[in-house]
């Protein structure tokens, strides 16, 4: 049995996930409501922030924090130790595929290898479920889209900002049926809306 999967995104009114100022404090404050066991992110998200990660203070692993699992089938992430020490997560887990390039022989990061050229998200969730993981929060637009396409998301939460950012919408694949689960409107016009994903 796989864990409950929540996908959380900050978006503009026209569906963009970049090109505007995200209310990060509110986004992550709301994220704590799920008390996830695992935060699932793709390598693109991490690589885009590598300089910031390296420069950030190292507060040490947070014993009661979630595990950070990064889908990195091309072995592009090189800041594993820094990520582990940021103070948000208890540990890090590299998600690789069979054809992922070889890692350094002295690498100490835990690995989970699934799939051939790309990581197998269903297998990853199944393995995590067997290890006692109950809730996974997806924190990446591309990974959210892939998980939705594969029917792996149970709950979708959008923090909608009152701005038209232009660009490409984060979701452009087949239609999904959603059931409204709750809405909160903040004074500055930001809307938090949650949906259950119909099977």
């Amino acid at each position: 049995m796989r864990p409950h999967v929540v996908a959380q995104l900050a978006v503009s009114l026209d569906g963009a996930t970049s090109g505007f100022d995200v209310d990060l404090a509110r986004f992550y404050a709301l994220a704590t409501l799920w008390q996830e066991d695992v935060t699932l992110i793709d390598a693109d998200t991490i690589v885009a922030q590598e300089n910031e990660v390296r420069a950030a203070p190292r507060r040490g692993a947070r014993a009661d924090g979630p595990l950070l699992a990064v889908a990195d089938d091309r072995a592009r992430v090189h800041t594993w130790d820094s990520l582990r020490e940021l103070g948000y997560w208890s540990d890090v887990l590299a998600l690789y595929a069979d054809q992922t390039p070889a890692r350094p022989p002295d690498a100490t990061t835990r690995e989970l290898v699934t799939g051939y050229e790309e990581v197998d998200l269903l297998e990853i969730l199944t393995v995590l479920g067997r290890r006692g993981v109950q809730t996974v929060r997806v924190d990446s637009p591309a990974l959210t889209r892939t998980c939705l396409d594969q029917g792996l998301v149970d709950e979708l939460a959008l923090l909608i900002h009152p701005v038209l950012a232009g660009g490409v919408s984060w979701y452009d694949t087949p239609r999904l049926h959603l059931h409204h689960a709750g809405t909160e409107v903040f004074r500055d016009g930001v809307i938090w809306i949650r949906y259950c994903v119909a099977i």
Side-chain angles (χ1 to χ4, degrees):
M1 175 182 281
R2 67 169 177 81
H4 181 80
V5 177
V6 177
Q8 183 191 20
L9 292 174
V11 301
S12 65
L13 281 173
D14 52 349
T17 56
S18 61
F20 64 100
D21 293 328
V22 174
D23 187 342
L24 290 175
R26 182 174 287 154
F27 182 87
Y28 287 111
L30 291 168
T32 63
L33 296 175
W34 288 288
Q35 297 293 305
E36 78 252 29
D37 303 299
V38 174
T39 308
L40 181 60
I41 297 179
D42 62 10
D44 288 342
T45 301
I46 299 298
V47 169
Q49 301 176 27
E50 275 195 333
N51 291 336
E52 291 87 346
V53 169
R54 286 194 179 99
R58 296 195 180 192
R59 295 187 285 267
R62 188 178 128 210
D64 63 345
L67 173 71
L68 175 66
V70 183
D72 186 22
D73 45 41
R74 289 185 284 163
R76 295 184 298 135
V77 175
H78 303 291
T79 53
W80 295 108
D81 290 339
S82 298
L83 287 166
R84 184 184 291 109
E85 298 293 320
L86 283 178
Y88 302 123
W89 298 287
S90 58
D91 201 355
V92 292
L93 175 66
L95 305 176
Y96 294 136
D98 288 340
Q99 295 300 300
T100 296
R103 278 74 72 196
D106 60 347
T108 58
T109 301
R110 290 193 295 158
E111 301 180 1
L112 176 56
V113 179
T114 64
Y116 184 66
E117 293 184 350
E118 298 180 350
V119 297
D120 184 326
L121 293 172
L122 176 57
E123 186 175 351
I124 286 165
L125 292 171
T126 301
V127 170
L128 291 174
R130 289 180 187 145
R131 294 179 181 178
V133 171
Q134 296 183 359
T135 304
V136 172
R137 185 178 64 85
V138 182
D139 190 352
S140 158
L143 207 52
T144 293
R145 183 168 54 246
T146 301
C147 287
L148 283 168
D149 288 345
Q150 295 181 18
L152 301 177
V153 175
D154 301 294
E155 187 176 349
L156 176 64
L158 301 176
L159 189 64
I160 303 171
H161 293 66
V163 59
L164 298 174
V168 179
S169 174
W170 68 273
Y171 189 73
D172 58 1
T173 45
R175 177 185 302 179
L176 288 173
H177 295 285
L178 307 173
H179 299 296
H180 181 246
T183 299
E184 186 170 354
V185 181
F186 299 99
R187 287 185 179 179
D188 54 3
V190 174
I191 300 171
W192 189 50
I193 189 164
R194 295 169 57 190
Y195 296 97
C196 294
V197 182
I199 302 300

